[in-house]
Amino acid sequence: MLYQIYETQRSLMEPFADFAQATAKLYGNSMFPLSKTPLSQRISAGYDLAYRLGKGYEKPVFGITTVDVDGVGVAIHERIELHKPFCELRRFKRFSDDTSTLSKLKNQPVVLVVAPLSGHYSTLLRDTVRTMLKDHKVYITDWTNARLVPLSEGEFHLDDYVNYVQEFIRHLQSKYGNCHVISVCQPTVPVLAAVSLMATRGETTPLSMTMMGGPIDARRSPTEVNNLASTRSYEWFEKNVIFSVPDSFPGAGRRVYPGFLQYTGFVAMNPDRHATNHYDYFKDLIKGDDASTEAHRKFYDEYNAVLDMDADYYLETIKTVFQEYSLMNGTWDVRAPNGQIERVRPQDITTTALLTVEGELDDISGPGQTHAAHDLCSNLVNKTRNQLEAKGAGHYGIFSGRRWRENVYPHVRQFILENDTVPKMEPLVVLTAPATAPASAAPAAPAAPVVAVAAAAAVTGAAATAPVPETQEGQHLAAVTAASTLTKGRRRGNRKS
């Protein structure tokens, strides 16, 4: 019933929001006689703010059309590589007619960015993607709003999330031989599970995993988010925050955790900061500070756009990650697509490099929660294991904004580059990103829900008769070599990357 009430209220507010928008434009139009009155700017600013507070926010677009690579403009074509009922694998394909740039692009690492499914759309990682496109071939998981998925597509569980990640990794391995995986916030847990299961089966695992600000061990330095999830029972969440999608949407009848409830939780964590930001926006409109007002609009267009999560996925995440700590306790079992139950064993990962990134001021995933992955992946061999703490960075700052671009990304880029081939064993290195001058206050990043492949290696003509290496490391190296040979043959003369 709450969902229906919310939609009714939103429908009633829509004409008032449209009126506020029209009035703001009217008083801001120099041709309108009353725009010359002393209070016209304040009236226009007030109505503009009222419009933004009352309007609905749809899914944003990535909008990445070009990136600069060493002074050369590279065109970006965004396309759907794989389509699943609850997720799309998107590729940002790069084009250039500069020969030297094209040669550089073709040899760069392949990265799968696993975006969080925790209330916001994957476009929240727009800055992450844009920055990485300069040095990598980038793919990202784009999760679907559950209210748009018909009931005929079935349910979506945490196990399905893990299986999706494995399928996407296998897809990239079939194209390129292997890939690197970056997970931001919530997906650090299912990504670690996905790679662990692949390792246990003897499959080729990704070259590296970069885990950023995720609740691997939510018991360490618990935050407000962790405390809420751990102090309420599973039944409480099921009774109080799960509702059915109204009939006006394709997913009518599906049980979901509504995005508007998650958004309410986001705002409630820092209400004073949001109020200040909106008041500053009002004052900037009066002053005519177009740069500041546009920055505000861009941020809140993204921040206010939320999606629904399937109830089964949401509740299982609460239980597995924040209540039973199944990953840390070694008791997490995942159902594979064939119905087989498999135990998650991170200690079986031996050929995937691991980098964990935490923000010094992160109020979503506390200090030590992400670094706990190193304790679980205890048998890494012939790979490096690094830790990075970004000084002065909150949760949002480790994957977006100035601190991400200047302090975090250089370490991530170097780590991926060092592990793009099989490296020699290195000791655990603890890095510290330098602090930068404080940036203007921004709203807190989204939380994890209150809380996110046997490789088909490319073969050459001689592969059919070549002996198969007995070790996983040998099989991985042979697959990468074969894929590299085939890829070069296919792409010779091709002007894409």
Side-chain angles (χ1 to χ4, degrees):
M1 180 60 71
L2 180 63
Y3 208 139
Q4 285 81 356
I5 294 174
Y6 170 79
E7 283 301 313
T8 301
Q9 176 265 339
R10 195 171 69 89
S11 298
L12 292 174
M13 284 294 299
E14 189 171 345
F16 292 99
D18 292 340
F19 172 79
Q21 181 186 34
T23 306
K25 290 182 177 180
L26 183 64
Y27 275 89
N29 189 334
S30 60
M31 302 297 292
F32 182 55
L34 293 181
S35 67
K36 308 299 183 181
T37 60
L39 296 178
S40 61
Q41 285 182 308
R42 289 181 176 273
I43 294 174
S44 177
Y47 275 111
D48 189 296
L49 180 59
Y51 162 68
R52 294 197 58 81
L53 293 175
K55 71 185 291 285
Y57 290 84
E58 301 299 326
K59 177 183 178 181
V61 297
F62 279 97
I64 304 174
T65 57
T66 61
V67 293
D68 182 89
V69 179
D70 295 335
V72 177
V74 174
I76 305 298
H77 173 63
E78 178 186 336
R79 72 186 192 195
I80 299 173
E81 187 87 359
L82 288 179
H83 176 78
K84 305 288 290 181
F86 290 87
C87 186
E88 294 173 341
L89 179 63
R90 290 188 177 269
R91 179 183 183 183
F92 298 86
K93 192 169 181 64
R94 304 172 298 175
F95 295 81
S96 177
D97 56 5
D98 182 78
T99 305
S100 60
T101 300
L102 182 65
S103 177
K104 181 187 302 180
L105 297 180
K106 285 186 174 181
N107 296 320
Q108 289 179 339
V110 180
V111 176
L112 169 62
V113 179
V114 183
L117 177 53
S118 55
H120 281 103
Y121 291 96
S122 61
T123 49
L124 194 71
L125 303 188
R126 183 185 295 104
D127 197 25
T128 312
V129 173
R130 181 188 292 112
T131 304
M132 298 203 66
L133 277 170
K134 300 176 182 179
D135 306 290
H136 309 87
K137 301 173 183 178
V138 180
Y139 293 74
I140 192 170
T141 58
D142 189 13
W143 300 100
T144 304
N145 192 334
R147 73 182 184 184
L148 303 180
V149 182
L151 281 173
S152 59
E153 295 291 352
E155 301 169 343
F156 184 73
H157 297 264
L158 182 58
D159 292 352
D160 296 314
Y161 193 121
V162 175
N163 293 328
Y164 273 27
V165 171
Q166 292 180 81
E167 181 176 348
F168 295 152
I169 293 175
R170 293 188 186 108
H171 174 74
L172 297 185
Q173 289 176 331
S174 70
K175 289 173 65 77
Y176 304 103
N178 213 330
C179 65
H180 304 264
V181 180
I182 293 180
S183 53
V184 180
C185 190
Q186 167 269 328
T188 56
V189 175
V191 165
L192 183 55
V195 176
S196 299
L197 293 171
M198 294 177 69
T200 301
R201 298 190 205 104
E203 298 184 45
T204 300
T205 57
L207 295 169
S208 74
M209 295 185 295
T210 299
M211 298 187 166
M212 308 175 68
I216 297 294
D217 186 356
R219 299 170 298 184
R220 301 188 182 186
S221 306
T223 64
E224 183 178 346
V225 173
N226 305 144
N227 291 332
L228 175 62
S230 61
T231 56
R232 308 284 186 177
S233 67
Y234 178 94
E235 291 73 21
W236 183 92
F237 283 101
E238 186 172 25
K239 180 180 179 180
N240 290 279
V241 302
I242 302 301
F243 299 92
S244 296
V245 175
D247 294 337
S248 56
F249 297 99
R254 179 177 296 279
R255 295 172 67 247
V256 298
Y257 173 55
F260 66 84
L261 283 183
Q262 183 74 329
Y263 172 76
T264 302
F266 295 156
V267 175
M269 291 182 63
N270 296 279
D272 295 341
R273 187 183 302 175
H274 288 283
T276 299
N277 285 345
H278 289 308
Y279 182 59
D280 289 343
Y281 173 70
F282 173 78
K283 292 190 294 183
D284 290 335
L285 285 170
I286 296 174
K287 292 186 296 184
D289 188 346
D290 294 337
S292 297
T293 55
E294 184 60 22
H296 177 95
R297 291 190 192 102
K298 286 183 177 180
F299 182 87
Y300 277 98
D301 283 349
E302 190 75 55
Y303 193 80
N304 293 343
V306 290
L307 54 75
D308 297 348
M309 290 172 274
D310 189 272
D312 294 300
Y313 159 78
Y314 172 78
L315 293 172
E316 288 165 8
T317 298
I318 292 286
K319 184 177 182 179
T320 301
V321 179
F322 296 97
Q323 294 184 345
E324 297 184 349
Y325 312 105
S326 300
L327 180 61
M328 293 302 301
N329 291 329
T331 58
W332 188 8
D333 292 325
V334 173
R335 184 182 298 276
N338 63 6
Q340 181 179 355
I341 302 297
E342 301 173 298
R343 176 61 55 89
V344 176
R345 293 173 47 85
Q347 63 268 32
D348 290 344
I349 301 175
T350 59
T351 59
T352 298
L354 175 62
L355 170 65
T356 55
V357 180
E358 295 184 346
E360 180 188 23
L361 306 179
D362 194 335
D363 60 352
I364 303 298
S365 297
Q369 291 190 13
T370 311
H371 292 333
H374 291 283
D375 298 333
L376 296 174
C377 302
S378 55
N379 292 319
L380 293 178
V381 296
N382 296 326
K383 294 287 180 177
T384 56
R385 297 197 297 152
N386 296 341
Q387 298 180 10
L388 172 65
E389 181 182 81
K391 293 294 184 181
H395 189 74
Y396 193 83
I398 61 178
F399 61 85
S400 183
R402 179 168 51 87
R403 288 188 174 88
W404 149 250
R405 293 189 295 269
E406 297 178 2
N407 302 337
V408 177
Y409 176 65
H411 291 293
V412 174
R413 178 185 57 200
Q414 184 63 28
F415 181 79
I416 290 175
L417 185 62
E418 290 174 353
N419 292 282
D420 202 41
T421 57
V422 180
K424 296 180 180 180
M425 183 181 297
E426 298 288 346
L428 175 65
V429 179
V430 180
L431 304 173
T432 300
T436 57
S440 58
V450 179
V451 206
V453 228
V459 296
T460 63
T465 58
V468 179
E470 295 182 356
T471 66
Q472 182 182 359
E473 193 75 15
Q475 292 170 1
H476 160 69
L477 186 56
V480 172
T481 303
S484 176
T485 303
L486 181 59
T487 301
K488 290 179 180 178
R490 285 179 176 173
R491 298 188 174 185
R492 189 171 290 115
N494 189 346
R495 302 178 69 82
K496 306 174 183 177
S497 174

